[in-house]
């Protein structure tokens, strides 16, 4: 049977209102019942209290009469009780009236408005709150009535009472202590309590701390050290002590930095776990009482570090943190701020090397002692400080940047030791590498005019190079064999290599060949230490096939580019012989370094064969064959010109044949001979491996024997290894000579600045500078020539003659 239409209409239009009305009526009924019970209870209580109220009224009349005749002494001996009894009224009629009104409104509860008013009243005030509110109003009314009574009866007594209340308030204010004082009152008391630190006071403090390990004296030293750390601030706060003598200031710093950790270690000794990790028991009462002292002294030391300029004092302050750190492990916020300040010192190129190493030791101990959160904070802070300090890369700052990279890589190694409990090293490195990949993706995706600059900058290059150092240091075969297990950072090799290769090929222009070489060195480091094959021959061969290396360069006298401290070549260097020579030298060096990693591998001939073929093809393109009929004419004159003056003049006056001028090629015999020498070494090493591979008796599927092929042979004894060893020695010697020349030039410049104010020294100074520069250049040229002697073996005599003709023709045009 279906529902009736009337029922549906009622449910749709009136059901909600009916239910709401019934609930409201139920609440009102329940309230009536409750108030009826309260009314009955009050009626029973009022029946027994009527006689007592009559007696109170009679007593109040008599006490009121006695108050008029009371003296001041009688009032203070007991008159207050009489005033309280006389002025205390009965129950307020307003409260009774409030309840009566509520009863009347409840009786009229047929309307909806009364229901809403009662509901609001019940939600705002409960019965207990109403009574408490009325009691508070009763007390205020009583106090007002007392004051009126005193004003009418005895005005002098009212004045004494007010003075008495003020005295009570002053005693309360003094009892609360200095915390409730205003700033001006504090300043006055502190100013009156200032004490100047003297030499005798510092000696007495030092004696007490050394002999008695006094905590009281240590607290005084902490207060004095806090004032010393902020001694030259403009907005000086008022401290207990002041320091006005420089000698006392220095003595106080030494006492505080050296003795406070020793005194603390005497009372709260640092303990070590079975694993060798240091900790301080924090459950003792002494530790809890000295918490504020730890924080105050740490903040003072941090403030001192940020304002110190003396390297010796800063080194002493940093060394004191090594003993102080175990007491700060529970204060994570304090450690976070402290690590930032120390990381700034560690990454500041203006600091001395000893100071920066000391700052690193503090970060290292913080990583060893701290928990997972502290380790992560130190790693993040060190990485950010590294990027901040590597923004400006010059030949003077590159050594400090490399120091930061190596030391920060050690922090990641310490953090990875706790990988089983908390993978802090892996997660932080993964996040940073991921951020580098996001930068690269955005630069590729948003191909705007300046988008590549977010990748092609020193900070990005140093970040990639830093993580290559981290992975090569802790994922190497030797490190994993020493540890007995695989490094947790090894899975990061693949993403880092992919990001680096993407950055290499982002802008394939000749101006950014130095950046390509920087990143290639980072990949070579990973490949050599982790035995991971990374195909680097293709990016290097792309450099040779560019227009910069295939076309003849123009002569120039610009300074050669320093590829170790450059990521971009200036526009004036492009298409010059100086830049082409430098790029060719870098390509040959990096190709030889790449192949020497696999010079003992059983598959080296197959690995080197495609590169040998491509290099020979490139040589054929850039060094075209010159027919014998085109070599004549001026050849003899040119050769005579090299030997004597007349032939040289004849060679300069004669122009090269037109057919020879249009042959093409790069006309750079230095680069071509270096590539030819590399090809010969690769072929020799391939024959060396093939000869020994022919004698083996195992199959390719026997992996252990394949991996052990030529393991007992040193890589230096192979043909390619001997070639690379000689090239490394020559480069090191060249760098040494260049560095000595730079330092000698800087010393001469400093001397010239000192003598610049004297007259008549300008010409002589320039002459001396010219001599120094000429000497330096001659030394560098001698090293370069000596390094080129080995490369001239593959040079053809006819090519040398043609190259001489072309150079002389270019000089005439210039």
């Amino acid at each position: 049977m279906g529902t009736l239409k009337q029922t549906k209409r009622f449910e749709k239009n009136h059901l909600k209102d009916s239910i709401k009305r019934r609930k409201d009526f139920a609440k009102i009924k329940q309230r009536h019942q409750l108030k009826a019970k309260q009314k009955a209870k009050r009626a029973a209580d009022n029946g027994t209290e009527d006689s007592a109220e009559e007696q109170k009224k009679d007593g109040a009349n008599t006490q009121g009469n006695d108050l008029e005749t009371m003296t001041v002494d009688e009032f203070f001996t007991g008159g207050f009780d009489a005033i309280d009894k006389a002025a205390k009224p009965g129950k307020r009629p307003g409260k009774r009236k409030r309840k009566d009104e509520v009863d009347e409104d409840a009786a009229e509860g047929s309307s909806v408005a009364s229901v809403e008013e009662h509901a609001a009243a019940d939600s705002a005030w409960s019965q207990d709150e109403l009574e408490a509110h009325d009691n508070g109003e009763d007390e205020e009314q009583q106090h007002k009535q007392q004051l009126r009574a005193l004003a009418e009866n005895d005005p002098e007594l009212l004045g004494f009472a007010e003075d008495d209340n003020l005295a009570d308030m002053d005693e309360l204010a003094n009892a609360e202590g200095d915390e409730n004082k205003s700033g001006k009152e504090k300043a006055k008391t502190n100013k009156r309590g200032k004490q100047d630190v003297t030499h005798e006071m510092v000696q007495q403090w030092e004696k007490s701390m050394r002999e008695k390990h006094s905590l009281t004296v240590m607290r005084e030293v902490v207060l004095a050290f806090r004032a010393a750390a902020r001694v030259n601030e403009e907005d000086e706060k008022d401290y207990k002590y002041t320091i006005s003598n420089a000698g006392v200031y220095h003595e106080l710093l030494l006492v505080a930095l050296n003795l406070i950790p020793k005194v603390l270690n005497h009372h709260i000794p640092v303990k070590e776990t079975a694993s060798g990790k240091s900790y301080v028991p924090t459950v003792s009462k002494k530790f809890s009482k000295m918490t504020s002292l730890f924080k105050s002294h740490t903040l003072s030391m941090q403030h001192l570090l940020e304002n110190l300029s003396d390297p010796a004092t800063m080194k002493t302050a940093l060394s004191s943190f090594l003993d102080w750190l175990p007491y700060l492990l529970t204060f994570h916020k304090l450690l976070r701020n402290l690590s930032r300040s120390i990381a700034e010192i560690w990454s500041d190129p203006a600091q001395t090397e000893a100071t920066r190493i000391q700052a690193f030791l503090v970060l290292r101990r913080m990583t060893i002692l701290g928990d997972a959160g502290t380790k992560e904070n130190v790693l993040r802070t060190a990485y950010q400080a590294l990027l901040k300090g590597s923004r400006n890369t010059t030949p003077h700052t590159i050594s400090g940047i490399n120091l930061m990279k190596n030391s920060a890589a050690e922090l990641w190694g310490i953090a990875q030791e706790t990988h089983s409990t908390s993978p802090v090293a892996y997660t932080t490195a993964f996040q940073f590498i991921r951020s580098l990949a996001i930068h690269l993706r955005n630069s590729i995706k948003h191909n705007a005019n300046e988008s590549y600059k977010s990748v092609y900058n020193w900070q990005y290059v140093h970040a990639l190079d830093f993580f290559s150092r981290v992975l090569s240091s802790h994922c190497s075969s030797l490190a994993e064999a020493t540890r007995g297990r695989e490094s947790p950072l090894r899975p990061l090799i693949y993403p880092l290599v992919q990001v680096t290769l993407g950055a290499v090929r982002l802008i394939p222009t000749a101006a950014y060949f130095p950046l390509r070489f920087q990143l290639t060195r980072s990949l070579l480091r990973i490949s050599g230490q982790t035995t991971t094959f990374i195909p680097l021959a293709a990016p290097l061969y792309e450099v040779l096939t560019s227009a910069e290396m295939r076309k003849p360069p123009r002569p120039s006298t610009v300074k050669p580019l320093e590829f170790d401290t450059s990521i971009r070549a200036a526009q004036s260097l492009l298409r010059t012989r100086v830049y082409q020579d430098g790029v060719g030298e870098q390509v040959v060096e990096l190709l030889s370094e790449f192949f020497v990693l696999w010079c003992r591998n059983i598959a080296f001939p197959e690995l080197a064969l495609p590169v040998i073929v491509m290099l020979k093809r490139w040589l054929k393109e850039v060094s075209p064959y010159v027919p014998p009929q085109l070599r004549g004419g001026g050849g003899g004159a040119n050769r005579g010109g090299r030997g004597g003056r007349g032939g040289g003049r004849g060679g300069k006056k004669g122009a090269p044949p037109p057919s020879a001028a249009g042959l093409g090629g790069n006309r750079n015999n230095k680069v071509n001979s270096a590539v030819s020498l590399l090809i010969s070494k690769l072929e020799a090493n391939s024959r060396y491996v093939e000869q020994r591979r022919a004698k083996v008796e195992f199959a390719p599927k026997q992996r252990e024997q394949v991996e052990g092929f030529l393991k007992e042979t040193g890589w230096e004894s192979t043909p390619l290894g001997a070639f690379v060893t000689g090239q490394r020695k020559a480069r090191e010697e060249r760098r040494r000579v260049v560095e000595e020349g730079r330092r000698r030039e800087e010393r001469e410049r400093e001397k010239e600045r000192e003598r610049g104010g004297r007259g008549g020294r300008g010409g002589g100074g320039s002459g001396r500078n010219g001599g120094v520069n000429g000497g330096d250049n001659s030394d560098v040229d001698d090293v370069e020539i000596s390094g080129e002697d080995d490369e001239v073996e593959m040079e053809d005599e006819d090519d040398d003659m043609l190259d001489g003709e072309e150079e002389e023709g270019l000089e005439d045009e210039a």
Side-chain angles (χ1 to χ4, degrees), residues 296-309:
S296 175
H297 189 58
T298 304
L299 292 174
S300 300
M301 294 176 69
Q302 181 181 352
H303 188 81
L304 181 68
L305 284 177
E306 294 174 353
N307 295 276
L308 274 179
S309 58

Side-chain angles (χ1 to χ4, degrees), residues 128 154 229 248 305 312 325 335 414 454 468 494 564:
D128 296 335
D154 196 346
V248 174
L305 284 177
L325 281 177
L335 277 178
I414 296 172
S454 62
S468 73
Y494 178 76
D564 293 338

Side-chain angles (χ1 to χ4, degrees), residues 525-537:
R525 186 185 297 112
I526 296 176
S527 181
Q529 295 294 328
T530 63
T531 64
T532 303
F533 178 77
I534 303 174
L536 296 176

